[in-house]
C-alpha cells in the first residue's frame, strides 16, 4: 500500500529522518513512538504524501509521490484516512457535517450513508453534540470527531497522529477498539502515540508492530513493548 | 443564457456550504463592487455627456462658416448669386444659404434695436455655409470668391473654433480618463478583496484539501461565491447609480452643456458594468484560489 | 507637531511587533487609501474648477448689462450723457462706460466687415454696465432711463444669463457631489478594510488578551499600524494624483472652460486628504478593535 | 486566591456544572480529572475569569468576577498562568518571543529576564527551537512552549489544561517536576489531566488533591488515586 525506500527528510536544516525504509502491507497494524519532536508527524506526512522526501523514494498505492499530480493526491486521500495532531475543521458547519465532509467532496451520497454516520458518532460518544459547531466542542470531542472523519469513507489505510492525547482511558479504549475492528476487516492502521500503556493494552487484542523513531532512524521496538 | 452557465450559477448548493457564508471580507467584496460600480456609472455618464458635447460642438460650431458680401446696393444681388454659385460648386460645402432680411435684422437687433430698417442701411448680405465632413479648402475658396464676387469675404471662424474643439476633446479625454481610473480602481479593489477573503479562508481550503477535495472543487466553490457576490454588489451599485443619475437636479440642456445622463440606447452601457465586475471577480478569485492551493499539497 | 503625537506616531516599536507585518488585508488598507485619495484629488480638482467656472460666469456674464441708445445723430451725445448720469446714480451699478467708436466697429465687424465707416451709419451708441454684487432694480432703471434719455433701451441679458448661471451652479453641485461620493466611498472602504484586517487578526487579539494585555495596549498597536498604513497609502495616492493633474494634457484656458487643476493656494487642500484618510482609519480601527475585544473576555 | 461558591455554568442548554464550591489556598496542588466533555476546561475558565458563572459567585484574588473591569481581568491574568488545551500563539513571531510575550505586555524589561527565559526554555527542551515560528513546531513542542509562557511571569496561580497530552513520558515528568518546584515555592497549581499514571506518579513527590468532575458535580477523588 505505502512503501518508503531509503527515504530522508529535512525541513531545510539538518536531516530529521534518514534512511527510512518501510513497507505497509494490507491488514497490518503499526504503532509509532518516539520522543516529542523526533519526527512522528513528519513521518506520517511522508506516508500520505503531504511532504515529498528530500531523498529516497516514497510510493503510495504503487505511485511515486514525486510523480503524482495534485488530483492524484486528492484521490489518494480518499483511500487514506488521516487523524491530524492539530485537528482542524470547517468552523462554520456542524460537527456531523464536518465528519461527513469526505463523503461530500468525494461526490458520494451523504443521505445514503446517514445510518453509518449515526452509528459512528454514537460509537465515539458524539451523538449529543452532532449539531454543535467545532469551536463549541471540548478538546477530546474534537479529537474523536477527527477520528470519525478519518474513517467515514472506510479507507484502505488509516494514519492516526496521537488520536487519544486528549481523551480519557475508557474512551481511548473504545477508539482503539474501533481501529482494531477496522484492521480485522483488512484495513491497514498506523497510530503515532507515546502512551505506552495504551500500546501495551492494544497488543493484547491485535498483532501490532511497534516502530520507534530515534536518532533519525526508524527502528522496530523490542518485544518488551 | 447557455445551460452550462445557468448550471454554474445555480451551482451545487451543497458545495457552496463549504465556503463560510459571510464576514467582513465578504462585505468588502460586495461593497467594493457596489461602490466602484456606482462611481463608474457617474464616470460613464460624464464620459458620454462630454462625448455628446464634443460631437455637438464639432458639428454645430466647427462646421459653420459665413460669407459676407459688401457691395453697392445695385451689385448686391448679382454678387450674392455669383457667390452662391461658387459655393455650390465647391467641394466640401454641404449647403450655402443667403440670410433673409428678417434673419439679418434679428442678428443686428442687439446693436441697432428691433426697429431700425435694415433695408435702408448699407448692411452686407450674409451667407451661411455648412461644411461637409471633410471641410473645404478655405484658401482656394477665397481665391475663387474674389474672382467671381469681389465684395465677398469668407469668415471660416477658425479663430474661435480651434479652442472650442480643443476644449471639447479635452473634456472627452477627461471623461475617458475618469472611466479608466475608476474602472481600474474597481478591478484592483475587487481583486484585493477576493485575495483578502481567500487568505482569511485558508483554513477552509486546507481542511478541504486534507479530506480529499480536488482543486477544481475547492476553487469552484470560492469562485462562484465571489463572482456572485461581486455581481450582486455591482448590480446594486449600478441601480443606485442609475437612480441617482435620473434624479440629478435639472436635466435640461443649458448653454453649451448637455445634461449629465444617458440617452436612449446609452442606457445599454450600464448592464456591462456588473458583467465586467463579475468577470474581474471571477479572474481574481481563480488566480487567488490557485495561488493559495499551490502552497498546499 | 505636539510631542504626544510624535511619540504616538513613533510608537513603542516593541508593541508594534505584535501586529503581523503584512498580508492582503494590509495591502488592501494601503491600496484603498491610495486609490480613493487619488480619485478624491480628481474630484477635488473638478470641484474647484467648476467652482472657478461658476464664479467667472457669475462675475463676467451675469453682472454685465448693456444700454443701447438709438437717437437722431444730433441728440446722441446729450442722451448718452444723460443715460450715463442716470446709471452713475443708480444703486447697484458699479460702473458704466460708453463704448468708443473703435470698440463698436470691432463688435460690428462680423456683419459689416472691418472697412465700413461706422460713423457714417446710424449706429446706436452702446453703454456697458457692470453691476455690483447686489445687482440693480432693472424695472426702476428702465423707468428712469425712459424719462431722462428716451432713446435708451436697457438690455440686462436676463434672457440668456439665467441658463448659464443655472449651468454653472449645476456644475458646482456636480463637483461637490463627486467629492462627497468619492470621499464617502474612501471612508467606507478604509473602514471595511480595517474591519477585515482586524477580523483576520482575531487570533492575535485573543492571544494578547490571554497573556494579560490590557485593551488599550492591544487597540493601540492595531490603531497605530492601520492609521499609519492609511496615511502612507493616502499620501502616495495624493502625490500620484497631484502628478497626474500636473501632467494632464493642455492646461490652458479655452472657451468657457477653466483648466482642471489647482491654482496657488488651492494646492493646500491636498494635504487635508491624507489627514482625513488617517482620521477615518483611526476611528474605524478603534471601533473595530473595541468590537473584537468586547467579544472576548 | 480563587474561590468558587455554589457556582453553576451552562453554555445555553442544560447545566454543565452545578453547585461547585472550591477554595484554592495558596501553595496547594490540585489535579482535575473527569471524562472527556465533563467540563474540565469549562471549570478552569471559570477559575481564571474567562467565563462568568451563570449562578453562584466566583472570586479571583478577593474580587467578584462579575464586578471586575476588563483591565482588572487583564491584570489578574498576569498573576494566573494558564496553559490552554488548544495552545495558540502569535504565528508571526518566534517561539522565544512568544514565551516572553507576557513579560512584554506587562511592561517588564524582557532583556533583564533573558537568563530566566533561556533556563526555562532549556528545561523544557526547547532551546534548539527558540527561533522557530510556532507553526513550525511539533505538537509536543507547542505544548511545552505554552507551559513555559504560562510560568514566565512566575504567577501566583498556575492552571494547566492537559499540559502533557502530546509529550512523551520522560518529558511529561520533567514538566510536572517544574510545576512541583514552583508549588514548593508557594505557587498554587491546578492540572487538568486524564493521565492517571501521571497523577499517581506525581503524588509520590507532592501532596496533591485530586478533584473529579462527574454528574455535573466537583468531587474529591478517593484515596485509590
Ligand atoms: N462554547 C461552547 N458552546 C457550547 N457548548 C460548549 C462550548 N464549549 C464547550 N461546550 C460543551 O461543554 C462540554 C464541556 O466542555 P469542556 O471543554 O469543558 O470539556 P472537557 O472536560 O475539557 O473535555 P476534554 O477532556 O475533552 O477537553 C462539552 O460537551 C462541550 O461540547
Ligand atoms: N514546517 C516546519 N519547519 C521547520 N521545522 C519543522 C516544521 N515542522 C516540524 N518541524 C520540526 O521538526 C521536528 C519534528 O517535528 P514533528 O512534528 O514531526 O515531531 P513529532 O515527533 O510529531 O513530535 P510531537 O510528539 O511533539 O508531535 C521538530 O523539532 C519540529 O520543530
Ligand atoms: Mg507530532
Ligand atoms: Mg478540555
Amino acid at each position: 500500500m505505502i512503501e518508503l525506500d531509503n527515504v530522508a527528510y529535512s525541513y531545510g536544516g539538518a536531516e530529521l529522518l534518514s534512511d527510512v525504509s518501510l513497507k505497509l502491507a494490507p491488514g497490518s497494524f503499526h504503532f509509532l513512538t518516539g520522543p516529542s519532536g523526533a519526527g512522528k508527524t513528519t513521518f506520517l506526512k511522508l506516508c500520505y504524501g503531504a511532504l515529498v522526501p528530500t531523498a529516497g523514494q516514497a510510493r503510495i498505492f504503487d505511485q511515486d509521490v514525486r510523480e503524482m499530480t495534485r488530483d492524484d493526491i486528492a484521490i489518494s486521500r480518499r483511500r487514506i484516512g488521516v487523524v491530524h495532531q492539530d485537528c482542524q475543521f470547517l468552523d462554520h458547519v456542524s460537527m456531523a457535517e464536518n465528519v461527513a465532509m469526505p463523503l461530500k467532496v468525494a461526490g458520494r451520497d451523504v443521505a445514503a450513508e446517514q445510518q453509518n454516520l449515526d452509528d459512528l458518532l454514537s460509537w465515539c460518544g458524539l451523538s449529543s453534540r452532532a449539531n454543535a459547531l467545532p469551536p463549541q466542542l471540548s478538546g477530546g470531542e474534537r479529537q474523536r470527531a477527527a477520528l470519525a472523519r478519518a474513517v467515514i469513507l472506510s479507507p484502505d489505510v488509516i494514519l492516526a497522529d496521537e488520536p487519544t492525547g486528549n481523551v480519557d482511558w475508557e474512551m481511548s479504549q473504545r477508539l482503539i477498539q474501533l481501529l482494531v475492528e477496522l484492521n480485522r476487516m483488512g484495513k491497514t492502521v498506523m497510530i503515532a502515540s507515546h502512551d505506552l500503556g495504551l500500546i501495551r493494552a492494544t497488543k493484547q487484542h491485535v498483532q501490532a508492530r511497534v516502530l520507534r523513531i530515534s536518532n533519525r532512524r526508524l527502528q522496530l521496538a523490542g518485544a518488551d513493548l | 443564457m447557455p445551460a452550462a452557465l445557468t448550471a454554474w450559477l445555480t451551482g451545487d448548493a451543497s458545495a457552496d456550504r463549504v465556503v463560510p457564508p459571510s464576514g467582513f471580507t465578504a462585505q468588502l467584496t460586495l461593497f467594493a463592487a457596489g461602490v466602484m460600480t456606482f462611481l463608474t456609472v457617474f464616470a460613464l455618464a460624464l464620459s458620454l455627456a462630454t462625448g455628446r458635447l464634443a460631437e455637438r460642438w464639432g458639428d454645430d460650431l466647427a462646421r459653420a462658416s459665413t460669407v459676407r458680401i459688401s457691395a453697392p446696393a445695385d451689385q448686391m444681388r448679382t454678387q450674392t448669386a455669383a457667390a452662391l454659385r461658387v459655393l455650390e460648386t465647391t467641394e466640401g460645402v454641404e449647403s450655402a444659404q443667403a440670410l433673409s432680411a428678417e434673419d439679418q435684422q434679428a442678428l443686428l437687433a442687439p446693436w441697432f434695436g428691433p426697429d431700425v430698417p435694415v433695408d435702408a442701411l448699407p448692411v452686407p448680405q450674409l451667407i451661411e455655409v455648412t461644411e461637409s465632413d471633410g471641410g473645404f479648402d478655405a484658401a482656394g475658396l477665397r481665391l475663387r470668391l474674389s474672382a467671381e464676387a469681389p465684395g465677398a469675404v469668407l469668415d471660416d471662424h477658425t479663430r474661435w473654433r480651434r479652442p472650442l474643439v480643443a476644449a471639447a476633446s479635452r473634456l472627452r479625454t477627461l471623461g475617458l480618463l475618469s472611466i479608466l481610473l475608476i474602472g481600474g480602481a474597481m478591478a484592483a479593489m475587487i481583486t484585493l478583496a477576493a485575495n483578502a477573503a481567500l487568505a482569511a479562508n485558508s483554513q477552509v481550503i486546507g481542511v478541504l484539501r486534507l479530506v480529499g477535495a480536488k482543486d477544481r472543487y475547492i476553487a469552484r466553490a470560492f469562485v462562484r461565491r465571489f463572482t456572485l457576490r461581486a455581481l450582486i454588489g455591482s448590480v446594486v451599485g449600478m441601480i443606485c447609480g442609475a437612480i441617482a443619475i435620473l434624479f440629478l437636479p435639472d436635466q435640461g440642456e443649458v448653454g453649451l452643456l448637455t445634461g449629465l445622463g444617458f440617452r436612449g440606447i446609452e442606457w445599454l452601457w450600464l448592464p456591462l458594468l456588473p458583467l465586467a465586475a463579475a468577470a474581474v471577480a471571477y479572474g481574481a478569485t481563480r488566480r487567488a484560489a490557485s495561488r493559495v492551493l499551490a502552497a498546499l499539497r
Side-chain angles (χ1 to χ4, degrees), chain A, chain B:
Chain A
M1 312 236 94
I2 295 174
E3 260 176 275
L4 302 183
D5 196 14
N6 272 316
V7 158
Y9 192 81
S10 97
Y11 280 108
E15 268 189 5
L16 185 65
L17 296 171
S18 308
D19 253 347
V20 172
S21 296
L22 179 75
K23 224 171 167 161
L24 281 191
S28 62
F29 199 115
H30 285 90
F31 277 104
L32 180 68
T33 62
S36 169
K40 298 182 293 299
T41 301
T42 307
F43 177 79
L44 291 181
K45 282 185 174 164
L46 288 168
C47 288
Y48 65 86
L51 294 176
V52 179
T54 42
Q57 212 193 25
R59 299 175 67 79
I60 299 178
F61 300 123
D62 297 325
Q63 259 188 307
D64 190 332
V65 165
R66 285 201 186 78
E67 280 156 15
M68 286 169 89
T69 65
R70 293 183 60 80
D71 278 356
D72 287 341
I73 294 175
I75 298 291
S76 78
R77 293 215 174 132
R78 299 178 188 173
R79 299 180 62 188
I80 306 180
V82 183
V83 183
H84 295 268
Q85 196 169 9
D86 59 329
C87 22
Q88 297 209 324
F89 298 93
L90 301 188
D91 283 348
H92 63 284
V93 303
S94 71
M95 188 262 281
E97 243 181 292
N98 264 293
V99 171
M101 197 54 69
L103 292 172
K104 194 153 142 183
V105 303
R108 297 262 285 273
D109 182 2
V110 179
E113 313 263 354
Q114 190 62 45
Q115 189 56 47
N116 280 340
L117 180 64
D118 291 345
D119 290 349
L120 187 59
L121 289 184
S122 98
W123 182 265
C124 298
L126 289 173
S127 301
S128 64
R129 306 292 300 150
N131 295 318
L133 297 180
Q136 297 172 344
L137 297 179
S138 82
E141 286 164 351
R142 285 173 73 88
Q143 232 166 15
R144 288 178 267 155
L147 181 67
R149 184 176 64 182
V151 301
I152 186 78
L153 272 178
S154 107
D156 299 330
V157 182
I158 297 158
L159 306 176
D161 199 354
E162 310 271 7
T164 60
N166 280 313
V167 295
D168 49 299
W169 179 253
E170 287 79 34
M171 183 51 75
S172 68
Q173 287 304 302
R174 268 178 93 87
L175 299 183
I176 292 293
Q177 197 183 331
L178 176 65
L179 294 176
V180 168
E181 295 293 341
L182 287 169
N183 179 245
R184 292 221 173 101
M185 288 161 61
K187 316 290 186 194
T188 310
V189 177
M190 158 118 60
I191 303 173
S193 175
H194 17 61
D195 191 341
L196 301 188
L198 185 81
I199 298 178
R200 282 196 201 96
T202 310
K203 283 184 86 170
Q204 295 168 2
H205 303 293
V206 73
Q207 232 207 337
R209 299 214 299 170
V210 180
L211 305 169
R212 163 180 292 281
I213 299 179
S214 77
N215 284 326
R216 314 203 313 274
R217 308 283 158 140
L218 188 72
Q219 295 156 346
L220 205 57
D224 57 319
L225 241 181
Chain B
M1 229 177 327
L5 183 57
T6 327
W8 186 84
L9 280 176
T10 339
D12 174 5
S14 84
D16 272 0
R17 287 210 11 101
V18 304
V19 182
S22 196
F24 279 107
T25 46
Q27 287 176 32
L28 198 64
T29 315
L30 264 174
F31 186 83
V35 161
M36 297 317 271
T37 307
F38 186 86
L39 293 179
T40 314
V41 168
F42 274 79
L44 191 62
L46 182 66
S47 190
L48 288 172
T50 52
R52 276 198 301 272
L53 192 59
E55 204 162 297
R56 217 167 74 180
W57 288 358
D59 273 17
D60 295 3
L61 300 174
R63 285 169 51 200
S65 308
T66 320
V67 171
R68 188 178 63 237
I69 300 167
S70 313
D74 51 333
Q75 288 179 29
M76 197 60 113
R77 263 174 201 286
T78 45
Q79 286 215 13
T80 305
L84 280 173
R85 263 198 313 280
V86 168
L87 286 167
E88 267 153 22
T89 56
T90 302
E91 203 179 343
V93 171
E94 199 168 275
S95 70
Q97 201 168 14
L99 288 192
S100 68
E102 293 82 51
D103 285 347
Q104 301 225 94
Q105 184 156 6
L107 275 174
L108 292 174
W111 280 271
F112 293 89
D115 312 320
V116 173
V118 177
D119 297 338
L121 294 174
V123 177
Q125 172 70 47
L126 297 181
I127 299 176
E128 214 175 67
V129 181
T130 313
E131 297 175 26
S132 62
D133 280 351
F136 52 73
D137 166 22
L141 182 57
R142 279 210 182 86
L143 267 181
R144 291 181 59 207
L145 276 177
S146 65
E148 301 283 328
V153 176
L154 173 68
D155 183 353
D156 65 352
H157 304 193
T158 342
R159 205 173 9 93
W160 58 282
R161 179 209 308 204
R162 283 246 174 76
L164 272 176
V165 171
S169 81
R170 258 251 317 290
L171 270 183
R172 211 203 280 264
T173 319
L174 215 75
L176 270 178
L177 197 74
S178 67
I179 210 171
L180 279 182
L181 267 181
I182 299 188
M186 170 164 94
M189 209 74 87
I190 292 179
T191 305
L192 270 175
N195 271 315
L198 256 92
N201 285 312
S202 61
Q203 178 177 342
V204 170
I205 296 178
V207 169
L208 286 175
R209 185 80 195 148
L210 286 175
V211 299
K214 292 189 187 174
D215 285 1
R216 200 143 29 94
Y217 181 94
I218 302 172
R220 203 191 263 181
F222 278 93
V223 166
R224 181 164 43 227
R225 178 68 66 94
F226 281 94
T227 306
L228 284 179
R229 238 172 229 163
L231 188 65
I232 290 169
S234 190
V235 164
V236 170
M238 178 197 75
I239 290 174
C240 292
I243 289 175
I245 289 273
L246 276 179
F247 284 91
L248 260 193
D250 185 13
Q251 282 298 303
E253 306 220 351
V254 286
L256 289 168
L257 294 164
T258 70
L260 186 75
F262 300 96
R263 303 284 152 78
I265 205 161
E266 287 176 5
W267 287 101
L268 291 183
W269 282 104
L270 287 192
L272 291 185
L273 297 181
L275 290 183
V280 168
Y282 179 85
T285 319
R286 265 183 84 93
R287 245 176 303 118
S290 32
R291 200 174 26 69
V292 173
L293 279 167
L296 295 169
R297 218 180 120 85

